[in-house]
Amino acid sequence: MDDQKFFESLRDMAGEGLKLWESPSVSVGVVKDGKTVFCGGFGLRDVEKNLPADGETLYQIGRCSKAFTAALVAILVDQGKLDWDAPVTTYVPEVRFYDDFTTEAVTLRDLLCHRTGLPRHDAYWIDGPCTRRGMVENLRNMQPAWSFRSNWCYQNTCFVAVGMLIEALSGQTWEEFVRENLLEPIGMTRTSCFVDDIAGDPNHAEPYDRVVPTDLTGMTKIPFLKSDREDRAKGIGAPYGPAGSIMSTVRDMLKWVEFNLNDGKVGDKQIISEANMKELHKPQMLMSTPLLMDYPEMDFYSYGLGWFLETYRGHKMVEHGGNINGFSALTTMIPDQKLGVVCLVNFNDSFNTYATTYDILDSYLGAEGGDWHNRMRTFIAETFGAILEQNKGGNSDRIPNTTPTHPIEAYAGTYRNACYGDIVIAQKDGRLTFTYNKQESPLTHFHYDTFRIDDVHALFNGMTFSFETGKNGKVEAIRFGIVMNPAAKDEIFTKVEG
């Protein structure tokens, strides 16, 4: 493709995407045949200050961080310190799962390709008071939704466990190890694992979200996601760091893409062996359904080690997206075309990253008719509407004209679950409130002893849960589908006496 024509088409694509998705900015990078053909930004990294984005603007990349954690394991495998298929307890005996069989059998390969049988179980750590070790120790309290190795399901805590294993073997924090073994050798000088580094940088993107999360219009600036445990001065990263804490720029991420397309080599130095780079980029676990929409342009979905592996218009595609409060990211490679695309957006859960990336891929592959922005906008509107209905807890099943079986004050108290910690139910002005991880939300009576969380800014908005009465006639537990996965069992929170 003629570079000048590409730049002109990209400017039009990016501008259209910003309007359609109401995104503040998008920064884009493209490498082809070992050459950076574009690295720049469109729109505003800070709307209030009218500051433009460019190729050096810092964004949070969320779960794109997982590929870095998997690459660190590859380095340790090259050094003979790890084996992809040895039980994890060989190296870190304290890693334990809900059942003994999984504990004894689970390997690094299992953890890195999401096939442990665990659903996401994320709510406990989002704004929760956990440490990295605490997150890993919590694996033993997480109920599986499927049998071991029978189903693919994205799981963040397993990557945190990999990070802790890296720390145990290296004697360094995950943050130190990723900097010394990947970021510095690759030349990613503006990439960091600490929120203070992005917030204090003069060229950073501010995070944005919808004014009302249930509305698909409007925009407001939100705070950076920063764990209470993170301390840049002491070198203490976010507990979830190995699963999603990296901040980077398009220019730095293009270096990462080149490193991957070049089979683990930087210049004349082989950082990771070609054999283990192929392991990272090789399908390890089939996915029964696509993570996003079912594209006719794709006919194969799988997960490698820290990467999604798919086909796109007949070509193998290696990619991973990332979403974290106020930011969306996507890193994509078509290896047989020596083509890589990085797309970073400072807007929460924005699929502008996918639409823009696929438009760029089509430009290089000579494909037409993708219409990715409009197709994805339609898909997201339909999917989001369906999720809202699902989270209402099935209002169509609501039984009208019922009342709670106990006086309102009988429901108040602290309810505890081994995995998720405490839910506090309190009575305020004749109405119950629900508090979890510092977020207090009002409750609305649904029917009988079932209540609905009514707070558009809460993680569980629209969801219902039920109080359970014991043989003694007293309220003694809460049954709650907190995992937010239809395959997962409800969690029981037992009332704490006293």
Side-chain angles (χ1 to χ4, degrees):
M1 173 187 287
D2 177 80
D3 284 353
Q4 187 57 41
K5 288 183 179 179
F6 170 73
F7 297 150
E8 292 173 0
S9 66
L10 180 56
R11 188 177 298 110
D12 292 340
M13 279 185 244
E16 177 190 5
L18 290 178
K19 290 177 183 176
L20 284 173
W21 296 94
E22 299 179 280
S23 302
S25 75
V26 55
S27 288
V28 181
V30 182
V31 293
K32 180 73 170 79
D33 297 324
K35 174 187 175 185
T36 296
V37 295
F38 185 82
C39 179
F42 306 90
L44 302 174
R45 59 184 174 87
D46 188 322
V47 175
E48 290 74 15
K49 295 181 180 178
N50 198 38
L51 298 175
D54 57 34
E56 294 287 0
T57 299
L58 274 172
Y59 296 77
Q60 289 187 285
I61 66 169
R63 57 194 173 98
C64 290
S65 307
K66 288 183 172 63
F68 289 84
T69 295
L72 294 179
V73 173
I75 289 172
L76 291 171
V77 172
D78 279 338
Q79 294 174 356
K81 296 178 180 178
L82 286 177
D83 186 306
W84 296 114
D85 298 306
V88 171
T89 52
T90 303
Y91 311 104
V92 188
E94 59 265 40
V95 173
R96 307 197 64 79
F97 283 76
Y98 197 78
D99 62 279
D100 290 339
F101 177 77
T102 303
T103 297
E104 294 166 3
V106 70
T107 66
L108 277 162
R109 194 183 301 274
D110 297 318
L111 297 179
L112 291 170
C113 72
H114 304 293
R115 64 184 189 192
T116 63
L118 290 179
R120 290 189 71 153
H121 285 296
D122 281 348
Y124 79 93
W125 63 263
I126 299 175
D127 295 328
C130 52
T131 62
R132 188 167 295 171
R133 176 167 289 276
M135 287 182 71
V136 177
E137 290 177 348
N138 204 21
L139 282 168
R140 68 194 65 186
N141 299 315
M142 297 180 188
Q143 295 190 78
W146 304 272
S147 58
F148 182 52
R149 293 182 185 159
S150 68
N151 193 81
W152 181 90
C153 188
Y154 201 79
Q155 226 291 333
N156 283 301
T157 307
C158 287
F159 265 77
V160 178
V162 174
M164 197 178 86
L165 184 152
I166 290 168
E167 293 179 334
L169 289 184
S170 69
Q172 296 177 289
T173 64
W174 174 84
E175 288 79 7
E176 291 170 336
F177 199 70
V178 73
R179 177 175 54 81
E180 291 185 14
N181 290 274
L182 286 177
L183 304 183
E184 289 180 354
I186 295 172
M188 301 176 70
T189 57
R190 282 182 52 70
T191 301
S192 173
C193 306
F194 296 94
V195 174
D196 285 350
D197 287 343
I198 184 173
D201 192 280
N203 186 2
H204 75 268
E206 292 287 341
Y208 291 87
D209 198 359
R210 296 295 180 198
V211 176
V212 178
T214 53
D215 191 352
L216 290 179
T217 61
M219 178 175 66
T220 186
K221 184 157 65 174
I222 63 173
F224 288 100
L225 176 64
K226 182 179 179 182
S227 167
D228 291 344
R229 302 285 181 170
E230 185 176 327
D231 189 330
R232 178 69 177 87
K234 295 180 180 179
I236 300 172
Y240 50 84
S245 69
I246 289 178
M247 279 131 297
S248 192
T249 69
V250 161
R251 190 171 298 282
D252 267 13
M253 288 298 289
L254 288 178
K255 297 175 184 176
W256 170 240
V257 167
E258 273 291 283
F259 170 75
N260 279 269
L261 288 173
N262 204 29
D263 294 324
K265 200 172 184 180
V266 178
D268 295 328
K269 187 174 182 180
Q270 194 78 42
I271 307 299
I272 298 175
S273 68
E274 186 173 338
N276 275 322
M277 288 301 295
K278 291 186 183 302
E279 285 296 313
L280 298 175
H281 297 165
K282 184 169 67 178
Q284 307 284 342
M285 184 65 183
L286 290 175
M287 298 166 60
S288 56
T289 57
L291 189 65
L292 304 176
M293 59 187 278
D294 194 2
Y295 314 95
E297 292 83 359
M298 300 181 189
D299 56 12
F300 184 85
Y301 304 94
S302 68
Y303 201 86
L305 301 176
W307 292 100
F308 287 93
L309 282 301
E310 299 146 344
T311 55
Y312 183 82
R313 300 190 186 276
H315 300 270
K316 175 184 175 181
M317 180 168 70
V318 182
E319 58 91 0
H320 213 295
N323 293 288
I324 201 164
N325 298 28
F327 293 94
S328 302
L330 182 62
T331 307
T332 307
M333 295 173 283
I334 307 290
D336 69 0
Q337 299 294 302
K338 293 294 182 182
L339 174 63
V341 181
V342 176
C343 193
L344 307 178
V345 173
N346 57 331
F347 201 79
N348 203 48
D349 287 332
S350 175
F351 287 79
N352 187 2
T353 53
Y354 287 93
T356 298
T357 295
Y358 295 162
D359 273 344
I360 293 170
L361 296 182
D362 284 356
S363 296
Y364 275 94
L365 297 175
E368 297 180 352
D371 192 24
W372 288 108
H373 287 288
N374 287 316
R375 284 170 66 189
M376 286 202 160
R377 285 284 294 172
T378 300
F379 167 73
I380 295 304
E382 293 173 351
T383 303
F384 191 72
I387 291 173
L388 287 179
E389 286 303 312
Q390 178 183 327
N391 283 356
K392 288 178 182 177
N395 282 353
S396 60
D397 297 328
R398 187 175 189 177
I399 301 173
N401 305 317
T402 67
T403 59
T405 60
H406 297 269
I408 201 75
E409 61 270 14
Y411 299 98
T414 298
Y415 297 79
R416 186 162 295 159
N417 176 276
C419 177
Y420 287 91
D422 291 352
I423 289 173
V424 177
I425 304 296
Q427 181 184 4
K428 290 188 178 181
D429 302 322
R431 188 178 183 183
L432 293 179
T433 62
F434 171 102
T435 299
Y436 183 72
N437 283 351
K438 304 177 185 178
Q439 174 77 53
E440 181 181 272
S441 303
L443 293 175
T444 298
H445 181 247
F446 188 74
H447 61 211
Y448 296 114
D449 287 341
T450 299
F451 288 75
R452 185 179 63 219
I453 301 165
D454 281 329
D455 183 350
V456 295
H457 296 289
L459 179 64
F460 307 119
N461 179 49
M463 293 179 64
T464 61
F465 64 89
S466 299
F467 291 95
E468 297 190 340
T469 301
K471 293 180 180 179
N472 59 5
K474 296 181 179 180
V475 178
E476 64 177 21
I478 284 174
R479 178 179 292 272
F480 188 21
I482 193 171
V483 186
M484 294 187 284
N485 186 308
K489 298 177 182 178
D490 288 344
E491 294 286 340
I492 304 299
F493 292 73
T494 304
K495 195 170 188 180
V496 179
E497 297 297 332

